[in-house]
Amino acid sequence: MPNKILIVDEDDEIRKITGIYLENEGYEVLKAESGEQALKVIDKNEIDLVLIDIMMFGMMNWIEAFMKIRKNNIMPIVFLDTKSGDFDEIQRFTSEADDYIRNPFNAEELIAIVKLQLKRYKMNSNYQKLAENKNKNKNKIEIEIGNLTINCDTRQTFIGNNEIRLTPKEFDILELLARNKGIVFSIEKIYEMVWGKVFYKSDSTVMVHITKIREKIEEEPKKPIYIKTIWGVGYKV
């Protein structure tokens, strides 16, 4: 089956031309003219790569759209700067994407980047584990790890028969890690997927939340058996 690529741009002409480039290479192309529409398309389809125009919404809107897509999805996202925006202003946000194409770009450049990102996506074992876990666990109501039980429907957490009271964000972090058992998540990735915002290096929010979760679910918080630290990389269950 051909790879599915979603083009997100409010400009019909750009969607049309970019779509032709991709279809000529055998890709299946889906299109959306807004962030809201893009999320609906992604919800109904297995998208392999997203191309999103960073100048179409205005600064806050395209960032919000990107973060909402990234929060629950693992496919590569490539930014398109179709109107030659201020690169210095957006540079800190482009680092969050998998790649960036600046205007003017031609068919050869676009296809080369798309092929590279799809190749990395398909070969990356971490991506593959995430994809498998997403399909396997997306409808799973209860997750059991040792003596720990997480009910994703009622959003309750138990150690044995004892209920553990977690805040909404603490639960979201624990559920994310538990649904993807064995996969290491960086602090940045946890923040992006749970809070849906761009991470800033000086932010200690995730570490504080991890500490609080451990204090609640671990018998010895300094020697955790559920949420483990992978030094220099991140956390995993």
Side-chain angles (χ1 to χ4, degrees):
M1 293 179 63
N3 292 122
K4 290 184 180 181
I5 299 177
L6 173 62
I7 303 170
V8 189
D9 198 304
E10 66 180 0
D11 190 317
D12 181 65
E13 190 65 21
I14 291 174
R15 294 198 307 272
K16 181 179 179 180
I17 293 173
T18 307
I20 290 173
Y21 290 160
L22 295 167
E23 287 171 343
N24 286 342
E25 290 294 317
Y27 297 115
E28 181 177 345
V29 176
L30 292 87
K31 301 172 185 177
E33 60 183 22
S34 68
E36 292 80 5
Q37 192 177 99
L39 290 170
K40 291 178 182 178
V41 173
I42 291 171
D43 187 54
K44 296 178 181 178
N45 298 272
E46 290 294 331
I47 303 297
D48 296 294
L49 183 143
V50 177
L51 293 166
I52 183 169
D53 185 350
I54 60 176
M55 300 307 295
M56 63 177 177
F57 304 118
M59 181 58 69
M60 291 307 296
N61 288 326
W62 70 259
I63 293 173
E64 183 181 3
F66 164 70
M67 296 309 299
K68 284 183 177 180
I69 293 172
R70 175 55 78 219
K71 182 176 180 180
N72 296 309
N73 299 278
I74 59 174
M75 80 289 280
I77 298 176
V78 176
F79 286 163
L80 295 175
D81 179 4
T82 59
K83 298 180 176 65
S84 296
D86 184 349
F87 183 70
D88 291 333
E89 187 177 6
I90 64 176
Q91 189 173 22
R92 66 191 177 108
F93 296 108
T94 59
S95 64
E96 302 293 327
D98 294 279
D99 217 323
Y100 173 80
I101 306 175
R102 195 176 188 186
N103 190 56
F105 63 87
N106 54 39
E108 290 76 13
E109 180 184 6
L110 173 69
I111 298 303
I113 288 176
V114 166
K115 285 183 176 179
L116 175 62
Q117 289 303 324
L118 286 173
K119 182 178 179 180
R120 287 177 176 172
Y121 175 52
K122 299 300 180 182
M123 293 179 65
N124 189 314
S125 60
N126 214 37
Y127 273 137
Q128 292 305 310
K129 289 178 183 177
L130 281 166
E132 290 168 6
N133 287 340
K134 181 181 178 182
N135 291 329
K136 181 175 65 176
N137 296 324
K138 63 181 179 180
N139 295 318
K140 198 169 185 178
I141 294 176
E142 278 199 351
I143 303 171
E144 294 184 359
I145 301 172
N147 206 31
L148 174 68
T149 302
I150 303 164
N151 190 307
C152 304
D153 189 24
T154 63
R155 293 178 64 84
Q156 291 175 291
T157 304
F158 298 87
I159 295 293
N161 295 320
N162 299 317
E163 183 175 358
I164 308 299
R165 299 289 184 179
L166 299 178
T167 67
K169 291 302 183 191
E170 289 169 0
F171 185 89
D172 290 343
I173 293 172
L174 183 59
E175 181 185 9
L176 171 67
L177 296 176
R179 280 191 182 277
N180 297 283
K181 189 174 184 294
I183 297 176
V184 181
F185 283 83
S186 67
I187 291 172
E188 292 88 344
K189 186 58 66 179
I190 292 172
Y191 188 86
E192 290 171 7
M193 297 185 77
V194 171
W195 275 266
K197 298 178 182 178
V198 175
F199 176 82
Y200 295 94
K201 290 184 178 180
S202 60
D203 197 321
S204 61
T205 301
V206 172
M207 290 184 288
V208 171
H209 278 70
I210 293 287
T211 298
K212 290 181 177 178
I213 296 170
R214 282 173 169 167
E215 289 173 351
K216 295 177 180 181
I217 69 172
E218 302 283 0
E219 187 173 340
E220 295 184 63
K222 292 185 178 180
K223 297 180 181 179
I225 62 172
Y226 295 115
I227 299 181
K228 300 175 183 178
T229 300
I230 308 301
W231 295 108
V233 183
Y235 301 97
K236 73 172 184 177
V237 163

